[in-house]
Tab-separated table of all heavy atoms in Angstrom:
chain	number	residue	atom	x	y	z
A	192	GLU	N	1.638	121.049	73.727
A	192	GLU	CA	2.240	119.790	74.098
A	192	GLU	C	3.210	119.327	72.984
A	192	GLU	O	4.364	118.968	73.221
A	192	GLU	CB	1.242	118.707	74.342
A	192	GLU	CG	1.764	117.374	74.733
A	192	GLU	CD	0.709	116.310	74.931
A	192	GLU	OE1	-0.372	116.505	74.558
A	192	GLU	OE2	1.068	115.277	75.555
A	193	ALA	N	2.711	119.407	71.698
A	193	ALA	CA	3.587	119.117	70.617
A	193	ALA	C	4.863	119.968	70.517
A	193	ALA	O	5.946	119.457	70.228
A	193	ALA	CB	2.807	119.162	69.259
A	194	HIS	N	4.630	121.235	70.749
A	194	HIS	CA	5.810	122.160	70.731
A	194	HIS	C	6.772	121.819	71.856
A	194	HIS	O	7.985	121.822	71.558
A	194	HIS	CB	5.241	123.618	70.945
A	194	HIS	CG	6.259	124.613	71.259
A	194	HIS	ND1	7.220	125.010	70.269
A	194	HIS	CD2	6.508	125.367	72.375
A	194	HIS	CE1	7.992	125.909	70.828
A	194	HIS	NE2	7.546	126.170	72.060
A	195	MET	N	6.284	121.510	73.000
A	195	MET	CA	7.172	121.235	74.121
A	195	MET	C	7.809	119.830	74.019
A	195	MET	O	8.797	119.562	74.706
A	195	MET	CB	6.444	121.373	75.477
A	195	MET	CG	6.089	122.839	75.699
A	195	MET	SD	5.418	123.111	77.358
A	195	MET	CE	6.889	122.922	78.373
A	196	GLU	N	7.275	119.025	73.148
A	196	GLU	CA	7.958	117.659	72.861
A	196	GLU	C	8.935	117.774	71.708
A	196	GLU	O	9.419	116.738	71.294
A	196	GLU	CB	6.893	116.630	72.710
A	196	GLU	CG	6.148	116.370	73.978
A	196	GLU	CD	5.138	115.213	73.911
A	196	GLU	OE1	4.950	114.712	72.781
A	196	GLU	OE2	4.595	114.820	74.963
A	197	GLY	N	9.150	119.029	71.198
A	197	GLY	CA	10.203	119.201	70.270
A	197	GLY	C	9.826	119.243	68.790
A	197	GLY	O	10.695	119.273	67.897
A	198	TYR	N	8.476	119.195	68.505
A	198	TYR	CA	8.066	119.188	67.104
A	198	TYR	C	7.825	120.632	66.652
A	198	TYR	O	7.434	121.507	67.438
A	198	TYR	CB	6.848	118.376	66.903
A	198	TYR	CG	6.956	116.959	67.334
A	198	TYR	CD1	6.124	116.357	68.320
A	198	TYR	CD2	7.903	116.091	66.798
A	198	TYR	CE1	6.245	115.074	68.764
A	198	TYR	CE2	8.062	114.784	67.241
A	198	TYR	CZ	7.207	114.321	68.195
A	198	TYR	OH	7.391	112.998	68.620
A	199	ASP	N	7.965	120.865	65.392
A	199	ASP	CA	7.549	122.153	64.805
A	199	ASP	C	6.001	122.149	64.750
A	199	ASP	O	5.359	121.150	64.366
A	199	ASP	CB	8.101	122.339	63.370
A	199	ASP	CG	9.586	122.541	63.356
A	199	ASP	OD1	10.128	123.112	64.330
A	199	ASP	OD2	10.222	122.100	62.374
A	200	VAL	N	5.381	123.265	65.144
A	200	VAL	CA	3.936	123.385	65.162
A	200	VAL	C	3.601	124.566	64.301
A	200	VAL	O	4.147	125.671	64.550
A	200	VAL	CB	3.383	123.544	66.593
A	200	VAL	CG1	1.806	123.686	66.567
A	200	VAL	CG2	3.770	122.277	67.420
A	201	MET	N	2.673	124.422	63.352
A	201	MET	CA	2.294	125.519	62.468
A	201	MET	C	0.939	125.172	61.878
A	201	MET	O	0.470	124.042	61.875
A	201	MET	CB	3.366	125.717	61.392
A	201	MET	CG	3.519	124.537	60.424
A	201	MET	SD	4.854	124.726	59.224
A	201	MET	CE	6.291	124.649	60.257
A	202	PRO	N	0.273	126.216	61.344
A	202	PRO	CA	-1.044	125.960	60.650
A	202	PRO	C	-0.788	125.143	59.364
A	202	PRO	O	0.310	125.146	58.785
A	202	PRO	CB	-1.520	127.350	60.302
A	202	PRO	CG	-0.782	128.308	61.149
A	202	PRO	CD	0.609	127.651	61.418
A	203	MET	N	-1.846	124.443	58.943
A	203	MET	CA	-1.703	123.605	57.765
A	203	MET	C	-1.374	124.441	56.533
A	203	MET	O	-0.622	123.986	55.643
A	203	MET	CB	-3.026	122.846	57.545
A	203	MET	CG	-2.952	121.941	56.341
A	203	MET	SD	-1.704	120.581	56.427
A	203	MET	CE	-2.552	119.431	57.563
A	204	ALA	N	-1.840	125.694	56.481
A	204	ALA	CA	-1.492	126.519	55.351
A	204	ALA	C	0.008	126.768	55.204
A	204	ALA	O	0.515	126.838	53.990
A	204	ALA	CB	-2.199	127.922	55.515
A	205	GLU	N	0.733	126.731	56.301
A	205	GLU	CA	2.169	126.910	56.284
A	205	GLU	C	2.878	125.518	55.976
A	205	GLU	O	3.771	125.432	55.245
A	205	GLU	CB	2.709	127.533	57.527
A	205	GLU	CG	2.253	128.978	57.763
A	205	GLU	CD	2.778	129.523	59.074
A	205	GLU	OE1	3.801	128.937	59.595
A	205	GLU	OE2	2.205	130.516	59.602
A	206	ALA	N	2.329	124.506	56.724
A	206	ALA	CA	2.955	123.215	56.579
A	206	ALA	C	2.808	122.677	55.156
A	206	ALA	O	3.618	121.933	54.663
A	206	ALA	CB	2.230	122.234	57.533
A	207	ALA	N	1.696	123.070	54.435
A	207	ALA	CA	1.465	122.587	53.095
A	207	ALA	C	2.557	122.954	52.153
A	207	ALA	O	2.849	122.281	51.161
A	207	ALA	CB	0.135	123.128	52.507
A	208	GLU	N	3.236	124.019	52.416
A	208	GLU	CA	4.321	124.544	51.547
A	208	GLU	C	5.600	123.693	51.706
A	208	GLU	O	6.442	123.697	50.800
A	208	GLU	CB	4.590	125.994	51.826
A	208	GLU	CG	3.391	126.927	51.553
A	208	GLU	CD	3.755	128.342	51.796
A	208	GLU	OE1	4.943	128.674	52.059
A	208	GLU	OE2	2.845	129.220	51.677
A	209	VAL	N	5.793	123.097	52.865
A	209	VAL	CA	7.111	122.490	53.085
A	209	VAL	C	7.034	120.941	53.304
A	209	VAL	O	8.067	120.254	53.302
A	209	VAL	CB	7.757	123.114	54.387
A	209	VAL	CG1	8.033	124.565	54.116
A	209	VAL	CG2	6.908	122.947	55.558
A	210	GLY	N	5.819	120.381	53.504
A	210	GLY	CA	5.679	118.983	53.801
A	210	GLY	C	6.062	118.101	52.604
A	210	GLY	O	5.767	118.401	51.454
A	211	ASP	N	6.639	116.950	52.921
A	211	ASP	CA	6.863	115.857	51.928
A	211	ASP	C	5.821	114.797	52.046
A	211	ASP	O	5.357	114.155	51.024
A	211	ASP	CB	8.233	115.241	52.134
A	211	ASP	CG	9.341	116.218	51.960
A	211	ASP	OD1	9.421	116.892	50.893
A	211	ASP	OD2	10.192	116.335	52.823
A	212	VAL	N	5.393	114.492	53.272
A	212	VAL	CA	4.394	113.464	53.558
A	212	VAL	C	3.384	114.081	54.509
A	212	VAL	O	3.800	114.734	55.483
A	212	VAL	CB	5.048	112.204	54.158
A	212	VAL	CG1	3.924	111.133	54.333
A	212	VAL	CG2	6.170	111.700	53.333
A	213	PHE	N	2.044	113.847	54.228
A	213	PHE	CA	1.017	114.333	55.091
A	213	PHE	C	0.135	113.229	55.605
A	213	PHE	O	-0.307	112.418	54.783
A	213	PHE	CB	0.131	115.310	54.331
A	213	PHE	CG	0.826	116.586	53.870
A	213	PHE	CD1	1.629	116.583	52.711
A	213	PHE	CD2	0.686	117.792	54.541
A	213	PHE	CE1	2.299	117.712	52.350
A	213	PHE	CE2	1.334	118.909	54.124
A	213	PHE	CZ	2.085	118.908	53.010
A	214	LEU	N	0.055	113.088	56.910
A	214	LEU	CA	-0.821	112.088	57.507
A	214	LEU	C	-1.860	112.764	58.404
A	214	LEU	O	-1.551	113.448	59.356
A	214	LEU	CB	-0.020	111.054	58.383
A	214	LEU	CG	0.686	109.980	57.655
A	214	LEU	CD1	2.026	110.468	57.180
A	214	LEU	CD2	0.958	108.792	58.687
A	215	THR	N	-3.113	112.526	58.081
A	215	THR	CA	-4.212	113.056	58.866
A	215	THR	C	-4.634	112.080	59.915
A	215	THR	O	-4.828	110.850	59.648
A	215	THR	CB	-5.375	113.495	57.998
A	215	THR	OG1	-5.833	112.332	57.256
A	215	THR	CG2	-5.062	114.583	57.077
A	216	THR	N	-4.867	112.545	61.097
A	216	THR	CA	-5.253	111.656	62.242
A	216	THR	C	-6.333	112.286	63.123
A	216	THR	O	-6.432	111.981	64.305
A	216	THR	CB	-3.977	111.369	63.160
A	216	THR	OG1	-3.666	112.579	63.891
A	216	THR	CG2	-2.804	110.875	62.361
A	217	THR	N	-7.132	113.115	62.474
A	217	THR	CA	-8.086	113.956	63.386
A	217	THR	C	-9.434	113.329	63.584
A	217	THR	O	-10.082	113.659	64.553
A	217	THR	CB	-8.289	115.325	62.695
A	217	THR	OG1	-9.102	115.153	61.465
A	217	THR	CG2	-6.932	115.972	62.334
A	218	GLY	N	-9.891	112.505	62.651
A	218	GLY	CA	-11.300	112.041	62.703
A	218	GLY	C	-12.302	113.101	62.203
A	218	GLY	O	-13.488	112.851	62.184
A	219	ASN	N	-11.769	114.243	61.732
A	219	ASN	CA	-12.654	115.289	61.209
A	219	ASN	C	-12.508	115.400	59.699
A	219	ASN	O	-11.671	114.785	59.125
A	219	ASN	CB	-12.346	116.666	61.913
A	219	ASN	CG	-13.540	117.600	61.972
A	219	ASN	OD1	-14.470	117.472	61.212
A	219	ASN	ND2	-13.440	118.509	62.924
A	220	ARG	N	-13.350	116.247	59.055
A	220	ARG	CA	-13.345	116.369	57.622
A	220	ARG	C	-12.578	117.628	57.198
A	220	ARG	O	-12.373	118.503	57.939
A	220	ARG	CB	-14.725	116.389	57.141
A	220	ARG	CG	-15.576	117.622	57.482
A	220	ARG	CD	-16.990	117.636	56.731
A	220	ARG	NE	-16.806	117.559	55.393
A	220	ARG	CZ	-17.374	116.631	54.576
A	220	ARG	NH1	-18.052	115.725	55.126
A	220	ARG	NH2	-17.144	116.644	53.282
A	221	ASP	N	-12.189	117.604	55.913
A	221	ASP	CA	-11.611	118.787	55.253
A	221	ASP	C	-10.385	119.327	55.969
A	221	ASP	O	-10.235	120.537	56.122
A	221	ASP	CB	-12.698	119.914	55.044
A	221	ASP	CG	-13.879	119.415	54.246
A	221	ASP	OD1	-13.683	118.532	53.412
A	221	ASP	OD2	-14.984	119.937	54.451
């Protein structure tokens, strides 16, 4: 759904290398 709405989707291991701001919204840990 996120991909089809135009956002880049990738694992956190990849996003960690390029992100400037990180917001967690999962309700889960770690």
Side-chain angles (χ1 to χ4, degrees):
E192 182 181 14
H194 168 66
M195 294 188 70
E196 290 184 355
Y198 304 121
D199 291 329
V200 179
M201 63 185 71
M203 182 61 77
E205 296 178 20
E208 298 182 5
V209 297
D211 299 306
V212 184
F213 296 79
L214 277 83
T215 55
T216 69
T217 71
N219 208 337
R220 66 174 304 122
D221 300 333

